[in-house]
Amino acid sequence: MTTQPERLHHLLDRARRGVILPAEGEQLAALVGLLVAGQCTDRRDICDRYHLPPVAGCPYPRCLAATATGRAATA
């Protein structure tokens, strides 16, 4: 079983080589969303820019509301 950082590096490497599959693209987007969620504690513009759809773990109102209703994306 791979960890999230290893999986992210694997997906980024495949994306750079242009051999990423559609399902892998969705996985990559979910992992990046989770990583970016950690940056939201200092930067609301990061949330506004990258959390479409909202991400569970983000502390800003739009993502919190989506998490509370079960609509926030998780990996």
Side-chain angles (χ1 to χ4, degrees), residues 32-51:
V32 169
L34 288 174
L35 293 173
V36 172
Q39 297 176 18
C40 288
T41 56
D42 297 320
R43 307 266 320 260
R44 181 174 179 166
D45 64 310
I46 295 292
C47 173
D48 293 339
R49 187 178 309 144
Y50 295 109
H51 290 171

Side-chain angles (χ1 to χ4, degrees), residues 4 7-8 11-12 14 16 22-23 25-26 28 31-32 34 40 45-46 49 52-53 56 59 64-65 71-72:
Q4 284 188 355
R7 182 71 179 149
L8 179 60
L11 292 172
L12 287 173
R14 289 180 56 85
R16 283 188 205 106
E26 292 172 9
L28 180 60
L31 285 171
V32 169
L34 288 174
C40 288
D45 64 310
I46 295 292
R49 187 178 309 144
L52 300 171
L64 283 175
R71 293 179 294 132

Side-chain angles (χ1 to χ4, degrees), residues 15-29:
R16 283 188 205 106
R17 290 184 285 138
V19 293
I20 197 161
L21 302 172
E24 290 176 324
E26 292 172 9
Q27 292 174 11
L28 180 60

